[in-house]
Amino acid sequence: MARGIRKKLHLGSLLPFRCGSKSFQPEHSLIGGPGFSRVVFCNNTESQRVLNYGNNYVTSTKYTLATFFPKSIFEQFRRAANVFFLITAILSFTPLSPSSPVSSVLPLALVILAAMIKEAIEDLTRRKQDIEVNNRKVKVHRGEGVFDNAKWMNLEVGDIVRVEKDGYFPADLILLSSSYEEAICYVETMNLDGETNLKLKQAVDATSKLHEDSGFQNFKAVIKSEDPNANLYSFIGSLQLEEQQYPLTPQQLLLRESKLKNTDFIYGVVIFTGHDTKVMQNSTAPPSKRSKIERRMDKLVYFLFSILVLMSFIGSIFFGISTRKDLENGTMKRWYLRPDDTTIYYDPKRAPVAAILIFLTGLMLYSYLIPISLYISLEITKVIQCTFINQDLHMYYEEADKPAKARTSNLNEELGQVDTILSDKTGTLTCNSMEFIKCSMAGTAYGRGVTVVERALSRREELPSAVEVTNGEGHVEYSTKAAIKGFNFFDERITHGNWVNEPQADVIQKFLLLLAICHTAVPEVDEETGRISYEAESPDEAAFVIAARELGFEFYERTQTSILIHELDLISGRKVQRSYKLLNILEFSNSRKRMSVIVRNMEGKLLLLCKGADSVIFERLTKNGREFEEQTREHVNEYANAGLRTLLFAYRELDEEEYNKFNEEFTEAKNSVSADRDEMMEEVAEKIENDLILLGATAVEDKLQNGVPECIDKLAQAGIKIWVLTGDKLETAINIGFACCLLRQGMEQIVISSETPIIKALEKGGDNSAVAAAFKANVLQQIREAKESLTTLSKSSEALALIIDGKSLTCALEDDVKGLFLELALGCASVICCRCSPKQKALVTRLVKIKTGRTTLAIGDGANDVGMLQEADIGIGISGVEGMQAVMSSDIAIAQFRYLQRLLLVHGHWCYRRISTMVP
């Protein structure tokens, strides 16, 4: 979109509430008390420095110059062998030593020094990253309305900064204004929470008019807020400007490492700096992981130490006995030791003491039984192995210019001992790039594209391949390769404006119009080609807008209060420009599972356009709006079986009186800053999102990454168990399982689901505690029955697969059930856990790791996978489109799932073989 147009964009209705209300709710009364004591003097450096909040310098290194020596020494002496050699080195300085102290101290010093150098080199890499971040430049107000470039690390609380489009926020900021007239901006938080969708932020009205640098020449304000904390999604504060108080909420907070998108610039005031920022408050040191070989080496050291002690003990006993008999009746048996003129070591009169001292001497004499050079040899070998991994061209993803990266050298040999892989699905097995492929409009299914799941189904049932499948008219199926990113739809009945000839053309028109209007996407025009592209809050939403454009309804501009569309007129068959006045947007949320917009068309009609999950849309249909319900249900089930994500589309017309009443209540709810604001807005929206008329459903595909089925097949042949932990519903996960060869033809499926008739009946009646107890009992019964059938099925030598949904998994992970559940899961070749939360992913990983004692590997690409990666013995991060949270928490980073095959079966095999050969 042209800059001039965008700066006038009026999108207040896109926001969950309008800012600038002067009424403070109880939570804001906490300001000034414990935990809410931060005071920020905006644009007033002298007053601010008195509070000494510190600068914006951050560090992610493990050591500093002051702590490197003590910390690294502590790390080295966690190893049993090093502790033993330290003791012998200390003893070598006593007269007990049979050799020079140099022979004991020098080898130990070299081993410790080499390990410390390795630690320093690895930490130096992190240090370089910190230097690069701390030296980034941002424009800071220096007085007189002048903004100069300054380094991030020199920022202080209270500074006014200007961040340009596609720039990262250098600290936690309070948004003051932006290039948009209503002071909104779009923020990408991929680096924080792994979400690729854009988020809308808006400044308070009092500062929204500051669109020029010169406007900050005399700007003075005071912000009082909560103290630094780790909660990314909450913020309480107030802004005092010209003796007026304005509440501050998370809607004005711009977090460090977030990215400014689709906004030319923003002005903000620094509220938290450095390690006080929320992203740094959330950063935790990853757990210290040691390989099984290293732990086994410690056991070998203990064993060798026991032999050494035994040898010295036996020798000291015989020496003590011999020493006691050296002087008998004045005769010297060992005269050459001069027992009549000796020290305590050979004094026949103090034989027990002499035996103890010779025992210590024996420990030093036999200490070479434990090879001190083994550890340093292993460290050097592991570093070289990491180099092999990092430079392997077979694991280099040329398209994104991302090689494999071993972030730690401690776990190389573990790669060759992996027993169980726990994998995320979206973005890990799939591309996380949605394509509009099918739809159901007016009860008729459209779209001849073939999904990966359908191709896998045709192979399982020995049907013709996808490219050979013919349509109903006998024509050969279209290619499944998308010519346009996000649009993989092929159907001559709809494309090229042919939909106007369909029997239900008026319904199809409303459906396509809903595709083009019901969203929060922003169009951008390429000045060179004139091609319109879209920035949307989710990949699904972008696919919908692109589909509408390709099918004749091109959303191309937002004016101050309207959405402008080039649409195909049903009567004339020509493209016409139409304007729809945007009145309200009822945003999508996990609890609502739907999104709606209210617009007024050029004829003056008020329309509510809604899209959402089938479970919430079907129950909101009016009696006269269910004409296509039965056919649409069938199509939605078919799409789910084909591994597609589905949404239902519906609409209704509003009368003026009904809308005015709704708008009054909704505005009041939006202006509230109380803790129950979201609930209030949902209650108001619930009243108007009813009596809908069904139009149809959409189906988008999140395709598998290249090589995923082949990789999983090879890993299964190697005897590695593979678990998929996904948030998708059961049917979709099962079909994706078939597509990626996790589930195979002839494999017996054991399904534990909460969607059984018994459980549904329980949920409809009875109090919550009784329902919960009965639900748990039902899940436990399903697990026991599956466990009993497991024995019978395993005797037939058939491979087994376990599929369990999220509600059932919650019960299965309880202390009194998880043992039985794990026994069942371990008896299966494949396990799919559906509707998993991030916490459940981590709990499942911990259960498998602790209870089995075998090497577990977790692989994921998003922030919701971090717990799983840290719990596993080995964490693999996919450096894809979901930010860097997973990669930064991983032990090894790869760009594509298929590289896991080479990482485990080639590098893992040789790393383990070479390391195990080195260990005696």
Side-chain angles (χ1 to χ4, degrees), residues 302-317:
Y302 295 142
F303 175 72
L304 293 175
F305 181 73
S306 301
I307 294 177
L308 189 153
V309 169
L310 182 62
M311 291 169 59
S312 301
F313 180 73
I314 293 174
S316 66
I317 291 177

mmCIF file of all heavy atoms in Angstrom, residues 302-317:
data_model
loop_
_atom_site.group_PDB
_atom_site.id
_atom_site.type_symbol
_atom_site.label_atom_id
_atom_site.label_comp_id
_atom_site.label_asym_id
_atom_site.label_seq_id
_atom_site.Cartn_x
_atom_site.Cartn_y
_atom_site.Cartn_z
ATOM 1 N N TYR A 302 35.359 -45.001 38.640
ATOM 2 C CA TYR A 302 35.104 -45.510 39.990
ATOM 3 C C TYR A 302 35.595 -46.955 40.121
ATOM 4 O O TYR A 302 36.166 -47.342 41.159
ATOM 5 C CB TYR A 302 33.597 -45.452 40.301
ATOM 6 C CG TYR A 302 33.041 -44.044 40.367
ATOM 7 C CD1 TYR A 302 31.765 -43.753 39.872
ATOM 8 C CD2 TYR A 302 33.772 -43.007 40.933
ATOM 9 C CE1 TYR A 302 31.248 -42.476 39.929
ATOM 10 C CE2 TYR A 302 33.260 -41.721 40.984
ATOM 11 C CZ TYR A 302 32.007 -41.462 40.473
ATOM 12 O OH TYR A 302 31.506 -40.200 40.534
ATOM 13 N N PHE A 303 35.379 -47.744 39.092
ATOM 14 C CA PHE A 303 35.815 -49.138 39.114
ATOM 15 C C PHE A 303 37.347 -49.224 39.182
ATOM 16 O O PHE A 303 37.907 -49.977 39.996
ATOM 17 C CB PHE A 303 35.296 -49.863 37.879
ATOM 18 C CG PHE A 303 35.785 -51.272 37.730
ATOM 19 C CD1 PHE A 303 35.314 -52.279 38.573
ATOM 20 C CD2 PHE A 303 36.739 -51.605 36.780
ATOM 21 C CE1 PHE A 303 35.779 -53.583 38.450
ATOM 22 C CE2 PHE A 303 37.203 -52.904 36.645
ATOM 23 C CZ PHE A 303 36.726 -53.898 37.479
ATOM 24 N N LEU A 304 38.002 -48.458 38.324
ATOM 25 C CA LEU A 304 39.474 -48.464 38.329
ATOM 26 C C LEU A 304 40.015 -47.918 39.646
ATOM 27 O O LEU A 304 41.030 -48.409 40.176
ATOM 28 C CB LEU A 304 40.003 -47.628 37.161
ATOM 29 C CG LEU A 304 39.731 -48.178 35.760
ATOM 30 C CD1 LEU A 304 40.197 -47.192 34.699
ATOM 31 C CD2 LEU A 304 40.423 -49.527 35.566
ATOM 32 N N PHE A 305 39.327 -46.913 40.187
ATOM 33 C CA PHE A 305 39.762 -46.368 41.469
ATOM 34 C C PHE A 305 39.618 -47.414 42.579
ATOM 35 O O PHE A 305 40.461 -47.512 43.476
ATOM 36 C CB PHE A 305 38.929 -45.129 41.795
ATOM 37 C CG PHE A 305 39.296 -44.468 43.088
ATOM 38 C CD1 PHE A 305 40.478 -43.749 43.200
ATOM 39 C CD2 PHE A 305 38.484 -44.566 44.204
ATOM 40 C CE1 PHE A 305 40.826 -43.140 44.393
ATOM 41 C CE2 PHE A 305 38.820 -43.965 45.397
ATOM 42 C CZ PHE A 305 40.005 -43.243 45.497
ATOM 43 N N SER A 306 38.564 -48.216 42.502
ATOM 44 C CA SER A 306 38.387 -49.283 43.496
ATOM 45 C C SER A 306 39.513 -50.304 43.398
ATOM 46 O O SER A 306 40.045 -50.764 44.429
ATOM 47 C CB SER A 306 37.037 -49.985 43.273
ATOM 48 O OG SER A 306 35.972 -49.069 43.387
ATOM 49 N N ILE A 307 39.897 -50.671 42.172
ATOM 50 C CA ILE A 307 41.021 -51.607 42.006
ATOM 51 C C ILE A 307 42.307 -51.002 42.542
ATOM 52 O O ILE A 307 43.107 -51.673 43.213
ATOM 53 C CB ILE A 307 41.168 -51.977 40.509
ATOM 54 C CG1 ILE A 307 39.947 -52.770 40.046
ATOM 55 C CG2 ILE A 307 42.447 -52.777 40.274
ATOM 56 C CD1 ILE A 307 39.976 -53.117 38.576
ATOM 57 N N LEU A 308 42.487 -49.714 42.241
ATOM 58 C CA LEU A 308 43.696 -49.019 42.707
ATOM 59 C C LEU A 308 43.756 -49.011 44.234
ATOM 60 O O LEU A 308 44.814 -49.277 44.834
ATOM 61 C CB LEU A 308 43.671 -47.594 42.152
ATOM 62 C CG LEU A 308 44.909 -46.709 42.307
ATOM 63 C CD1 LEU A 308 44.940 -45.691 41.184
ATOM 64 C CD2 LEU A 308 44.890 -45.962 43.636
ATOM 65 N N VAL A 309 42.638 -48.701 44.881
ATOM 66 C CA VAL A 309 42.591 -48.691 46.347
ATOM 67 C C VAL A 309 42.858 -50.086 46.894
ATOM 68 O O VAL A 309 43.595 -50.262 47.885
ATOM 69 C CB VAL A 309 41.220 -48.173 46.829
ATOM 70 C CG1 VAL A 309 41.057 -48.400 48.333
ATOM 71 C CG2 VAL A 309 41.069 -46.705 46.497
ATOM 72 N N LEU A 310 42.277 -51.110 46.251
ATOM 73 C CA LEU A 310 42.482 -52.477 46.704
ATOM 74 C C LEU A 310 43.950 -52.886 46.605
ATOM 75 O O LEU A 310 44.507 -53.487 47.542
ATOM 76 C CB LEU A 310 41.612 -53.430 45.875
ATOM 77 C CG LEU A 310 41.676 -54.906 46.258
ATOM 78 C CD1 LEU A 310 41.178 -55.101 47.701
ATOM 79 C CD2 LEU A 310 40.843 -55.740 45.289
ATOM 80 N N MET A 311 44.586 -52.560 45.496
ATOM 81 C CA MET A 311 46.007 -52.883 45.320
ATOM 82 C C MET A 311 46.853 -52.184 46.383
ATOM 83 O O MET A 311 47.748 -52.800 47.005
ATOM 84 C CB MET A 311 46.471 -52.454 43.924
ATOM 85 C CG MET A 311 45.880 -53.279 42.786
ATOM 86 S SD MET A 311 46.201 -52.558 41.163
ATOM 87 C CE MET A 311 47.996 -52.516 41.158
ATOM 88 N N SER A 312 46.573 -50.900 46.587
ATOM 89 C CA SER A 312 47.349 -50.144 47.587
ATOM 90 C C SER A 312 47.091 -50.662 48.993
ATOM 91 O O SER A 312 48.008 -50.737 49.828
ATOM 92 C CB SER A 312 46.984 -48.656 47.495
ATOM 93 O OG SER A 312 47.259 -48.150 46.216
ATOM 94 N N PHE A 313 45.832 -51.048 49.248
ATOM 95 C CA PHE A 313 45.495 -51.539 50.587
ATOM 96 C C PHE A 313 46.190 -52.865 50.883
ATOM 97 O O PHE A 313 46.776 -53.048 51.963
ATOM 98 C CB PHE A 313 43.968 -51.698 50.672
ATOM 99 C CG PHE A 313 43.499 -52.206 51.995
ATOM 100 C CD1 PHE A 313 43.521 -51.388 53.117
ATOM 101 C CD2 PHE A 313 43.027 -53.511 52.135
ATOM 102 C CE1 PHE A 313 43.087 -51.862 54.350
ATOM 103 C CE2 PHE A 313 42.604 -53.988 53.355
ATOM 104 C CZ PHE A 313 42.625 -53.156 54.469
ATOM 105 N N ILE A 314 46.124 -53.768 49.906
ATOM 106 C CA ILE A 314 46.790 -55.064 50.104
ATOM 107 C C ILE A 314 48.294 -54.877 50.276
ATOM 108 O O ILE A 314 48.941 -55.467 51.164
ATOM 109 C CB ILE A 314 46.485 -56.008 48.924
ATOM 110 C CG1 ILE A 314 44.990 -56.372 48.919
ATOM 111 C CG2 ILE A 314 47.338 -57.275 49.018
ATOM 112 C CD1 ILE A 314 44.568 -57.175 47.712
ATOM 113 N N GLY A 315 48.870 -54.018 49.433
ATOM 114 C CA GLY A 315 50.309 -53.749 49.539
ATOM 115 C C GLY A 315 50.676 -53.133 50.864
ATOM 116 O O GLY A 315 51.721 -53.473 51.449
ATOM 117 N N SER A 316 49.828 -52.219 51.374
ATOM 118 C CA SER A 316 50.134 -51.558 52.649
ATOM 119 C C SER A 316 50.052 -52.547 53.810
ATOM 120 O O SER A 316 50.822 -52.438 54.786
ATOM 121 C CB SER A 316 49.178 -50.388 52.878
ATOM 122 O OG SER A 316 47.846 -50.851 53.043
ATOM 123 N N ILE A 317 49.138 -53.520 53.742
ATOM 124 C CA ILE A 317 49.044 -54.526 54.822
ATOM 125 C C ILE A 317 50.303 -55.364 54.881
ATOM 126 O O ILE A 317 50.902 -55.561 55.955
ATOM 127 C CB ILE A 317 47.798 -55.409 54.605
ATOM 128 C CG1 ILE A 317 46.508 -54.600 54.831
ATOM 129 C CG2 ILE A 317 47.845 -56.628 55.519
ATOM 130 C CD1 ILE A 317 45.249 -55.376 54.562
#
